[in-house]
Amino acid sequence: MADTSQRSFRIFRFNPETDDKPYYQTYEIEVESWWTVLDALNEIKWFVDGTLSYRRSCRHGICGSCAMMINGLNDLACEKQIKLIRRNPITIDPLPGFEIHKDLAVDMDPFYKALKRVKPWLINNDPPPSRERIQSPEQFHLIGDGIACILCAACTSSCPSYWSDEEYLGPAALLKAYRYSFDSRDQGLGDRIDALDNRHGLWRCHKITNCFHACPKNLNPTEAISRLQRRVIEEKT
Amino acid sequence: MIHRHDVIIIGAGLAGSRAAVEIGKVADVAVLSKVYPSRSHSGAAQGGVAASLGNISVTDRWEFHMFDTVKGSDYLGDQDAIELMVREAPETVIEMEHWGCPFSRTEEGKIAQRKFGGHTLEFGREAALRACYSADFTGHVLLHTLHEQCLKHNVNFYSEFQVLSLIFRDGRAIGVVAWDMVHGGLHTFYGRAVMFGTGGYGRAFKITSNAHANTGDGLALVSRIGLPIQDMEFVQFHPTGLYKSGILVTEGARGEGGHLKNSEGRRFMEDYAPTLMELAPRDMVARAMQQEIDEGRGIDGEDKIHLDVSHLGEQRLMERLPQITELAMNFAGVDPRVEPIPIQPTAHYSMGGIPANENTRVTMDANRTEAVGLYAAGECSCISVHGANRLGTNSLLEALLFGRRAGKQIVEDVHDLEFPNLPPDYEDAARGEIEFIRNNRGGEKVGTLRGELQDSMMIDCGVFRTKEQLQKQKEKVAELADRFRHIQIDDNGDQFNTDLLEAIELGHLLDFSGAIVEGALLREESRGGHYRKDFPKRDDDKFLRHTLAWKRNGDWELTFEKEVVLKGVSHPGFEPKERKY
């Protein structure tokens, strides 16, 4: 027999087409013991109220679609097991710091645009060898955090520096800049430095570490930013 | 709104993005995606991408990879396309490395390679280390690297656009009509060439490793305009889906030495594939597991088996399999370092798809007549390199490699293809569909119909199939399609209306599910991923042929006239033999 319990979900609702202002709507549903928050949202959408909008796709923490604020903390809905949340009702808000498209779906365009500003691709002007470029396991591990990032935006959305400066690159884009600039095969720090070395770039970070706490993949953008700051100073001196 | 580009690509996974990088250097290319590109399902692939680099298994050669792929396909794969794939695999992977894709490394700094099911040296003599990997998120790093290459080459992305119809006249592709998910509204995209890279159809099944987005949209669009779809009955059930959710635990877990155990705690694979044991091909392992379950040896008497990796030790797990350790904890509530993971077979890969040739041009009949300006690559296509069953790590390879071939072919073709004219009724089908869904008031809910489809497909068109089950399922799909005419959604707005999206997707699922069932019913044999309990043997006389399915006047018409290519381009080919491991 399915092991179920009754839970309440207090969900942020806002449709800019029809609503003057946002409001919360509470849904009471029966949840199975293995469900995550995303399973509950699906249950509500599919069987209670089809007007609820949110993003989701892979539902196992790799596509990065379903980042949202759960009880005041950014997280992936698909990875958050309901049985581990003691508070009831469970309050769900969209990622802060972005415009609302509808309900829990926010406008991510500024986030993606910031990403592109750091030139997130390998820059290496040497002709490639016929086989792979050699990279040691240690050099591979050095960029481990950066390559594991799923671009869910939980970090950037949690960053007070980003809230106060919409031109700020934000921790996700800076982590991506780190991932390429610290790749042993890359020669592109010089090409990225204009985007990084200014008050909307690396130096906007005040080491508040919200990003580190928000990251559902347990990555540490703050540390990557610090290393990148040191590298930029070395590059300039 | 009307958008004109040289090339229109639908889907931004590995196939679509790889083609876009190639085309973006020389022509104006637009990529439509129902999700932001980096959220495509290619990113979920964990274990690796196959290429006979020989970095560890130094004697590896493309001929061995070809043999394994042909045998794995249960001889239904077209050997000319397979030869091209395995020969071009090393350069395709090396190119990704040159573009910055981060791979795990050997001590000498070369791309690391691991074992994967069905991949061998010297035609089955011993397991080959052929899967190039990046920890256990190989698809993720390939997808991100490619997306970033697209950003570098200023590819035009239309993210969160759901395709509704293919505009196709007199054998020529013209464009597609899509719905803007964010703001609402129809958008028509037309150009010299159209390419599909829309992924698989695993969402037709209840237990699946596939993303919510994998609703086989390209297949529905193609069949709706009268083109055939191919080999739809071949669905790969991956042995190691997490119990209940179906979320994938990589085959790499077995590649690294994980054991499968039944309720008696016994490694039952010794009864089914004594040489390769847990590393036998996926279809065989899934059937072995299902048989254990059906015979009452599932864990706790339920439909689950144990995957035990605890003996590998914490260090190796965290180093080689960090994602599955996290998945097991988050989604099954078990710590794989100290306890076994409950698993069950999960609908994973769609071998069937849009028929296309080795140059990725879509073909329209058993004689392989090419459509003009229409291309397909990746999981949505059936080229067919996987035949009746795909080997692990050949999917990332296929998507990358045929995406690359599609890009190169389109670059070659695009200047010979004139800009087509939009026919006057170009938007009618799409507009009709949207209006029908939004205005209908029949009381049937998307969630209910989809749930009934997925449950029944899993039970009656799953790992094991019989005539009785399939006939029942054929009627069930027809009943659901009939009830879909009474669909009713709650949300009638334009802005980010995912209620509308899910109804569109359900329409697609219902469309091609009929072809899966019908193919399974008429294919009275067992081959690869398709297993008929009432016809347990492979029947090469009747069925060493591809299935083509046309939707005509609401019914599926099937033929088995399309011959399998049994010779390579240069290689004499491998004669069909009994497939034993």
Side-chain angles (χ1 to χ4, degrees):
Chain A
M1 277 304 291
D3 181 7
T4 63
S5 60
Q6 196 79 15
R7 296 297 292 260
S8 296
F9 294 84
R10 182 171 165 269
I11 302 177
F12 176 98
R13 301 297 311 268
F14 180 60
N15 182 351
E17 283 183 311
T18 53
D19 300 331
D20 293 332
K21 55 182 185 188
Y23 60 98
Y24 284 96
Q25 188 163 357
T26 300
Y27 301 90
E28 293 262 345
I29 58 165
E30 193 127 321
V31 303
E32 291 191 30
S33 62
W34 57 278
W35 280 10
T36 66
V37 169
L38 180 62
D39 293 309
L41 291 174
N42 288 339
E43 176 76 10
I44 292 165
K45 174 157 191 80
W46 297 343
F47 302 109
V48 182
D49 181 355
T51 67
L52 179 65
S53 291
Y54 51 94
R55 289 191 177 94
R56 83 286 178 274
S57 194
C58 79
R59 56 83 168 93
H60 64 266
I62 194 72
C63 81
S65 298
C66 66
M68 53 188 73
M69 191 184 250
I70 302 165
N71 282 340
L73 293 172
N74 289 352
D75 213 329
L76 294 178
C78 75
E79 285 193 338
K80 193 79 186 169
Q81 284 192 42
I82 295 168
K83 69 178 172 209
L84 300 180
I85 305 174
R86 301 182 68 173
R87 201 187 303 172
N88 206 43
I90 296 167
T91 300
I92 303 177
D93 289 278
L95 285 180
F98 299 113
E99 298 281 320
I100 309 290
H101 280 324
K102 181 163 177 271
D103 303 334
L104 303 174
V106 298
D107 180 4
M108 303 274 286
D109 276 355
F111 177 78
Y112 300 132
K113 284 184 177 142
L115 190 69
K116 194 171 174 183
R117 276 161 55 200
V118 304
K119 299 189 177 162
W121 47 78
L122 192 81
I123 298 174
N124 183 327
N125 295 321
D126 297 339
S130 61
R131 294 282 300 201
E132 65 265 53
R133 291 190 172 99
I134 298 299
Q135 182 171 57
S136 70
E138 294 71 30
Q139 290 169 327
F140 170 76
H141 285 302
L142 187 64
I143 57 171
D145 264 20
I147 63 175
C149 170
I150 59 173
L151 300 181
C152 69
C155 59
T156 297
S157 154
S158 75
C159 174
S161 305
Y162 181 73
W163 300 339
S164 67
D165 175 10
E166 60 181 22
E167 290 293 302
Y168 175 40
L169 287 170
L174 289 169
L175 181 61
K176 189 65 88 173
Y178 167 87
R179 170 258 175 274
Y180 276 107
S181 302
F182 278 73
D183 189 317
S184 60
R185 302 165 294 176
D186 185 84
Q187 307 165 341
L189 184 60
D191 289 353
R192 294 186 192 99
I193 212 156
D194 280 351
L196 300 175
D197 184 26
N198 63 59
R199 64 196 177 90
H200 303 300
L202 281 172
W203 312 110
R204 176 64 65 191
C205 172
H206 299 303
K207 307 292 179 299
I208 300 167
T209 69
N210 275 12
C211 56
F212 165 62
H213 295 290
C215 179
K217 301 281 110 180
N218 297 317
L219 311 179
N220 190 343
T222 312
E223 192 188 335
I225 292 169
S226 298
R227 289 187 188 184
L228 201 49
Q229 287 171 330
R230 283 197 292 274
R231 177 66 71 84
V232 164
I233 291 170
E234 286 163 14
E235 180 86 6
K236 287 165 69 180
T237 50
Chain B
M1 195 182 281
I2 295 178
H3 308 263
R4 180 184 150 121
H5 295 278
D6 287 330
V7 183
I8 316 294
I9 296 175
I10 302 101
L14 283 194
S17 292
R18 181 60 192 79
V21 170
E22 201 69 30
I23 300 163
K25 296 174 191 166
V26 295
D28 169 33
V29 54
V31 181
L32 278 65
S33 174
K34 66 199 290 189
V35 293
Y36 183 75
S38 71
R39 320 218 180 280
S40 304
H41 196 57
S42 302
Q46 298 168 0
V49 51
S52 56
L53 293 178
N55 284 354
I56 299 168
S57 294
V58 289
T59 58
D60 200 9
R61 298 206 313 254
W62 66 259
E63 288 91 339
F64 303 152
H65 188 187
M66 178 173 173
F67 170 80
D68 295 335
T69 303
V70 171
K71 181 180 175 185
S73 81
D74 222 344
Y75 299 90
L76 195 71
D78 286 334
Q79 298 194 22
D80 54 347
I82 292 174
E83 183 186 324
L84 288 170
M85 178 173 85
V86 297
R87 288 178 71 146
E88 292 172 12
E91 67 190 66
T92 302
V93 170
I94 293 291
E95 182 180 60
M96 290 303 299
E97 196 282 335
H98 289 166
W99 287 346
C101 185
F103 285 101
S104 295
R105 299 286 169 157
T106 65
E107 282 308 313
E108 315 90 83
K110 296 178 182 172
I111 294 173
Q113 297 186 278
R114 60 161 60 122
K115 291 179 192 173
F116 243 80
H119 288 280
T120 69
L121 297 174
E122 294 177 39
F123 315 111
R125 200 171 58 88
E126 58 178 308
L129 285 80
R130 185 178 292 146
C132 310
Y133 64 94
S134 187
D136 55 1
F137 43 64
T138 313
H140 168 77
V141 296
L142 288 169
L143 179 67
H144 281 247
T145 303
L146 268 184
H147 178 54
E148 289 152 8
Q149 287 293 310
C150 287
L151 294 177
K152 178 182 170 185
H153 292 290
N154 291 310
V155 169
N156 302 293
F157 283 107
Y158 294 87
S159 289
E160 302 188 314
F161 278 73
Q162 170 65 39
V163 285
L164 295 165
S165 66
L166 171 63
I167 312 167
F168 187 84
R169 295 289 184 281
D170 306 321
R172 166 84 210 257
I174 296 168
V176 293
V177 184
W179 179 259
D180 174 1
M181 290 304 307
V182 174
H183 303 295
L186 291 175
H187 292 249
T188 298
F189 297 83
Y190 79 109
R192 302 173 200 269
V194 175
M195 175 194 159
F196 281 98
T198 50
Y201 47 87
R203 277 281 148 185
F205 296 85
K206 181 185 182 193
I207 303 295
T208 179
S209 64
N210 284 199
H212 286 288
N214 290 12
T215 52
D217 300 331
L219 292 151
L221 264 62
V222 161
S223 58
R224 281 176 188 179
I225 51 119
L227 293 179
I229 50 180
Q230 181 174 317
D231 294 341
M232 291 294 290
E233 62 272 32
F234 294 103
V235 175
Q236 178 172 83
F237 291 88
H238 193 293
T240 56
L242 283 182
Y243 182 53
K244 285 191 174 172
S245 69
I247 290 169
L248 188 70
V249 176
T250 176
E251 187 174 316
R254 284 171 290 137
E256 295 292 343
H259 296 159
L260 294 174
K261 293 177 180 170
N262 61 17
S263 61
E264 296 160 0
R266 202 164 66 81
R267 287 178 69 188
F268 56 85
M269 283 310 296
E270 66 192 15
D271 302 339
Y272 299 87
T275 316
L276 288 182
M277 296 289 285
E278 280 88 354
L279 285 174
R282 291 171 177 176
D283 58 324
M284 291 187 170
V285 181
R287 279 196 293 277
M289 284 170 52
Q290 193 64 47
Q291 191 167 333
E292 292 294 306
I293 290 167
D294 291 350
E295 289 173 6
R297 292 187 294 277
I299 306 298
D300 305 330
E302 292 176 343
D303 47 354
K304 63 184 173 193
I305 291 291
H306 272 156
L307 169 64
D308 191 354
V309 292
S310 58
H311 57 283
L312 298 179
E314 175 160 0
Q315 193 190 344
R316 188 148 167 211
L317 282 177
M318 298 316 283
E319 167 94 14
R320 305 281 185 90
L321 301 164
Q323 193 187 171
I324 74 124
T325 307
E326 190 184 304
L327 288 176
M329 291 188 187
N330 282 342
F331 300 104
V334 302
D335 183 346
R337 293 172 295 187
V338 294
E339 56 193 325
I341 308 169
I343 54 161
Q344 69 185 126
T346 184
H348 179 55
Y349 187 84
S350 313
M351 272 76 75
I354 303 167
N357 62 24
E358 71 281 7
N359 298 319
T360 71
R361 290 189 180 129
V362 171
T363 60
M364 304 189 289
D365 54 31
N367 299 324
R368 302 176 188 245
T369 308
E370 293 176 350
V372 178
L374 186 59
Y375 304 80
E379 192 170 349
C380 76
S381 71
C382 186
I383 286 189
S384 138
V385 288
H386 309 306
N389 172 61
R390 174 178 69 76
L391 293 188
T393 70
N394 268 352
S395 61
L396 287 179
L397 174 61
E398 181 207 16
L400 270 180
L401 191 134
F402 286 99
R404 184 174 185 250
R405 288 187 76 87
K408 289 179 190 290
Q409 192 64 50
I410 291 170
V411 165
E412 207 177 302
D413 294 350
V414 75
H415 295 293
D416 297 330
L417 291 163
E418 295 290 318
F419 254 105
N421 293 317
L422 281 175
D425 58 348
Y426 66 94
E427 212 185 62
D428 290 6
R431 183 170 299 282
E433 183 177 354
I434 293 289
E435 283 176 2
F436 160 72
I437 293 171
R438 288 172 81 163
N439 299 330
N440 214 29
R441 292 286 176 274
E444 289 282 5
K445 299 272 275 183
V446 172
T448 310
L449 294 189
R450 187 180 47 211
E452 286 186 33
L453 175 72
Q454 292 168 334
D455 281 346
S456 59
M457 287 295 284
M458 200 72 204
I459 294 166
D460 288 325
C461 195
V463 174
F464 291 120
R465 300 158 172 179
T466 66
K467 183 178 179 182
E468 289 68 33
Q469 285 179 300
L470 291 164
Q471 267 170 343
K472 186 171 140 212
Q473 185 58 11
K474 184 180 167 180
E475 285 162 28
K476 181 70 187 176
V477 174
E479 174 213 311
L480 292 169
D482 194 51
R483 285 165 62 193
F484 185 74
R485 297 193 300 140
H486 307 286
I487 199 76
Q488 180 172 350
I489 59 172
D490 297 344
D491 191 343
N492 287 305
D494 281 334
Q495 191 80 1
F496 218 89
N497 185 344
T498 52
D499 212 16
L500 175 64
L501 170 77
E502 293 193 20
I504 295 165
E505 292 175 328
L506 173 61
H508 294 169
L509 291 174
L510 286 169
D511 253 23
F512 60 73
S513 289
I516 303 174
V517 176
E518 198 90 21
L521 183 61
L522 295 182
R523 187 175 279 276
E524 295 182 327
E525 64 158 354
S526 292
R527 182 188 299 272
H530 168 64
Y531 195 93
R532 286 282 299 262
K533 274 191 159 170
D534 41 357
F535 295 94
K537 290 258 186 312
R538 197 175 81 195
D539 183 348
D540 285 345
D541 290 338
K542 278 193 197 155
F543 292 111
L544 184 57
R545 285 154 185 283
H546 295 294
T547 318
L548 287 179
W550 282 265
K551 189 143 205 189
R552 289 188 177 132
N553 304 321
D555 289 322
W556 287 99
E557 283 179 25
L558 273 68
T559 68
F560 294 94
E561 287 164 12
K562 185 170 177 177
E563 308 249 355
V564 174
V565 180
L566 295 171
K567 283 199 173 85
V569 179
S570 67
H571 192 279
F574 295 100
E575 285 287 313
K577 285 192 186 144
E578 193 191 351
R579 185 166 155 257
K580 280 195 300 199
Y581 289 92

